[in-house]
Amino acid sequence: MAVAALGTTVALAAPAGFAQAAPTDTAPVAARSAGATQTTTSAKAAAAPAAWAAGTRAYLVITAPGGTSAVSGAVASSGGSVFATYDAIGVIVAHSTSSSFATSMRAVGGVQQVGATRTSDVPADAYNPALPANPAQSTTTLTESNRWDMTQIKAEQAWAVTTGSATVKVGVLDTGVDDQHQDIAPNFNAADSASCAYGKVDTRAGAWRDVGTHGTHVAGTIAAAKNGKGVIGVAPGVKISSVRIAEPTSSLFFAENTICGFVWAGDHGFKVTNNSYYTDPWQFNCPDNVDQAAIIEGVRRAQVYAEGKGSLQVAAAGNSNYDLANKTTDSESPNDSTPVTRTITNACIDIPTELPGVVTVAAQGNGGTKASYSNFGNGVIDIAAPGGDGASGVYSTLPGGKYGNMNGTSMASPHVAGVAALIASVNPTFTPAQIRDQLGVQATDRACPSDTRCKGTTTKNGFFGEGAVDALKAVGGSTPPPGAYFENLADVTIADNATVESSITVGGVTGNAPATLKVGVDIKHTYIGDLKVDLVAPDGTVYTVHNRTGSGTDNIVQTFTVNASSEVANGVWKLRVNDNASQDTGKIDAWNLTF
């Protein structure tokens, strides 16, 4: 597809294999990426066949955890080859051209399940994968601006508390990520990035790069740098890793790729992964189908493994405007060959999004309504977030240093993954279950609209789950930040050797300010050692919060605590910034007061 011009809106049709793409999704709603470390707990590559052969299919051979070596010899005697092994979860990825391979392996002692993962041939590229292109980069003159999606989740307010910790790693399991992008490079973690396409880890430099545009867009929403250019991610202080699970050409995410990705996430310490895709080729996998049952079990084990290692999975609900709590038909599968319409029940599940422990995210449009395309379902949807709808898309990064809009639950899920990363940053000991609970507890309740498809209560329903994700509440602990909140988002330029002020008028607060007045400051400046920053009370009393420290460090994004108990709360408060040297300039981007 053609690359969009700098700063334009992208509108791409979703190829087959991407999860239920929204009508205006500029990339598949689903993205697939995979990876596993080469240790006893991850994929061990076996010798590949001497040459690819037409008719090669992929299978999951499932044993008891730790029991793969006992049955691996039977793979060859049944006409197959071992492509990769995940012994810790009891999964072998096998290839075979034999139509009787699965039947033969199911008769082997110690084999619990066997299932084909696709209805098409494994590409020849699996045996000698080509590296994705490394696109030439365009620089941008675009400056960061407030965006509706970030305002809707109160991201700007949350940044006054934390922009995220660099010790928190978020995995983008998708089509790959352009790590050279000016807004992604500062936060990109190459050491923990890889490709899991075809179900076997590839750690070559660049194997993680984008074979489309979808993964780069997702990555920017999660953690684009707060660097004064382009866009800002929900958690601009955390690190992002790319685990490419999408295969080139088809852009499909098969089960073995997802398994590889989850094991890699667990072994590499990802606190959160984002999964904006469904596992191809089946929109829904049904346990009464022998192949699909093996797919469910293999991916389930990998998710349990990752969560057991401390990783929370966040996933897109899908873009078919489908009630996931009342499944009746599937007309989109298999998407790697010829789809057929089949009758299904709620026992058939969208994976990974409907696996236990995974946070399932529905999409909202600008203003908070359910996005027209978003899947829904009472008891299935956990939380809702901005995904865009129509002309109001989610604006984020695209390969080659570019930017553009996309709509989809693929865009909603990374907002939640970003907030989960902020929660992990302020609560470093939280388990995945605790992060998951915090997302729900701190979400803003959204009642059902006058739409009979929406079932449930104000506190939990099929359109919004436990509510709309709220970044500010999420980083404020178990309750919202105490007291009245006031902010000024207007930019004020800080020139060389100059003093500037930004004002906030406080009203409706009884008595004096607290002894723990919170002053949230977001100042963009390329040399903060030049700056003196004061809070000026309504009576003119000056409280210095920053005085020419930090040397050549960029930006002051911090919440200060001021004992202002002697000051009357109501009145005009000012943030005064004095630049004391030449050459470096900046701006007051935003600031706030919490009483």
Side-chain angles (χ1 to χ4, degrees):
M1 60 187 69
V3 176
L6 183 65
T8 59
T9 298
V10 181
L12 313 176
F18 286 103
Q20 311 109 310
T24 54
D25 198 342
T26 52
V29 169
R32 326 300 159 66
S33 100
T37 56
Q38 296 178 355
T39 69
T40 57
T41 60
S42 62
K44 300 175 184 175
W52 174 85
T56 299
R57 297 293 173 90
Y59 300 85
L60 298 182
V61 177
I62 297 177
T63 73
T68 57
S69 60
V71 304
S72 59
V75 172
S77 60
S78 296
S81 61
V82 174
F83 187 71
T85 301
Y86 300 90
D87 191 55
I89 60 172
V91 173
I92 296 171
V93 179
H95 289 175
S96 180
T97 58
S98 171
S99 60
S100 62
F101 175 77
T103 301
S104 177
M105 283 301 300
R106 288 176 189 132
V108 173
V111 172
Q112 298 174 350
Q113 291 177 272
V114 179
T117 65
R118 45 185 95 201
T119 64
S120 58
D121 289 359
V122 175
D125 183 66
Y127 298 120
N128 186 24
L131 286 174
N134 185 9
Q137 300 293 316
S138 300
T139 57
T140 184
T141 58
L142 301 172
T143 57
E144 295 166 341
S145 59
N146 294 329
R147 308 198 310 278
W148 71 267
D149 56 316
M150 295 298 171
T151 299
Q152 191 162 299
I153 69 169
K154 300 180 184 175
E156 301 104 322
Q157 297 176 34
W159 296 332
V161 179
T162 181
T163 55
S165 169
T167 63
V168 172
K169 294 188 283 190
V170 180
V172 179
L173 277 59
D174 214 291
T175 60
V177 173
D178 178 7
D179 56 301
Q180 305 296 310
H181 194 289
Q182 59 211 339
D183 246 339
I184 291 175
N187 291 335
F188 192 78
N189 173 21
D192 294 306
S193 294
S195 169
C196 275
Y198 311 114
K200 183 164 63 177
V201 67
D202 180 352
T203 58
R204 291 177 297 164
W208 58 72
R209 292 198 175 116
D210 210 331
V211 294
T213 59
H214 189 264
T216 300
H217 194 277
V218 164
T221 297
I222 296 170
K226 208 169 189 290
N227 56 5
K229 63 183 72 172
V231 297
I232 310 172
V234 176
V238 306
K239 294 298 182 183
I240 48 175
S241 298
S242 172
V243 185
R244 178 170 65 87
I245 58 173
E247 297 181 6
T249 308
S250 70
S251 293
L252 297 184
F253 307 77
F254 292 99
E256 59 268 37
N257 308 3
T258 300
I259 290 168
C260 175
F262 284 166
V263 173
W264 179 272
D267 286 341
H268 287 257
F270 295 173
K271 289 293 290 186
V272 184
T273 71
N274 186 81
N275 302 270
S276 290
Y277 61 92
Y278 70 81
T279 302
D280 298 302
W282 306 101
Q283 180 180 7
F284 301 105
N285 284 270
C286 300
D288 60 354
N289 178 287
V290 67
D291 292 317
Q292 293 164 39
I295 290 172
I296 294 171
E297 180 62 11
V299 178
R300 184 197 68 79
R301 289 189 186 188
Q303 137 59 18
V304 170
Y305 178 84
E307 182 163 347
K309 292 282 190 174
S311 178
L312 175 69
Q313 277 57 251
V314 179
N319 301 339
S320 297
N321 193 24
Y322 193 98
D323 186 351
L324 296 175
N326 291 283
K327 302 184 183 82
T328 55
T329 59
D330 172 13
S331 58
E332 300 184 22
S333 308
N335 63 6
D336 66 336
S337 54
T338 303
V340 297
T341 299
R342 57 178 178 150
T343 300
I344 62 172
T345 69
N346 286 343
C348 303
I349 59 172
D350 179 340
I351 59 174
T353 195
E354 287 191 87
L355 290 175
V358 175
V359 177
T360 304
V361 183
Q364 297 173 284
N366 189 351
T369 58
K370 172 190 170 298
S372 59
Y373 53 80
S374 180
N375 285 355
F376 56 98
N378 193 26
V380 179
I381 301 301
D382 292 310
I383 199 165
D389 206 359
S392 294
V394 172
Y395 190 71
S396 187
T397 48
L398 295 173
K402 299 176 175 60
Y403 301 84
N405 288 294
M406 293 187 183
N407 296 329
T409 56
S410 281
M411 286 63 250
S413 181
H415 285 88
V416 175
V419 173
L422 292 179
I423 293 172
S425 297
V426 296
N427 302 282
T429 63
F430 267 22
T431 65
Q434 288 174 311
I435 297 173
R436 187 166 56 242
D437 289 345
Q438 184 85 337
L439 284 169
V441 168
Q442 300 302 339
T444 300
D445 291 342
R446 297 228 16 134
C448 282
S450 54
D451 187 326
T452 57
R453 298 175 303 163
C454 185
K455 310 295 183 184
T457 65
T458 298
T459 57
K460 189 165 187 178
N461 58 63
F463 276 17
F464 307 106
E466 293 191 68
V469 71
D470 188 313
L472 178 61
K473 288 182 183 178
V475 298
S478 58
T479 59
Y485 179 89
F486 302 87
E487 67 179 347
N488 186 336
L489 300 177
D491 291 350
V492 178
T493 300
I494 304 170
D496 279 332
N497 295 294
T499 299
V500 299
E501 294 181 338
S502 177
S503 300
I504 289 176
T505 300
V506 173
V509 180
T510 303
N512 285 7
T516 56
L517 178 65
K518 302 297 183 184
V519 185
V521 174
D522 185 349
I523 294 174
K524 302 293 192 308
H525 197 279
T526 51
Y527 199 98
I528 66 173
D530 291 352
L531 302 182
K532 181 173 182 286
V533 182
D534 300 315
L535 175 68
V536 183
D539 68 355
T541 301
V542 175
Y543 299 86
T544 299
V545 296
H546 174 91
N547 193 2
R548 305 196 68 179
T549 59
S551 189
T553 305
D554 291 351
N555 307 332
I556 303 173
V557 183
Q558 187 174 347
T559 298
F560 301 94
T561 300
V562 173
N563 183 352
S565 57
S566 63
E567 308 293 339
V568 174
N570 292 334
V572 178
W573 295 74
K574 299 177 182 178
L575 189 73
R576 178 181 295 161
V577 180
N578 173 233
D579 186 304
N580 294 279
S582 301
Q583 297 183 343
D584 291 274
T585 60
K587 65 179 178 179
I588 302 174
D589 198 11
W591 73 288
N592 59 68
L593 295 170
T594 304
F595 287 80

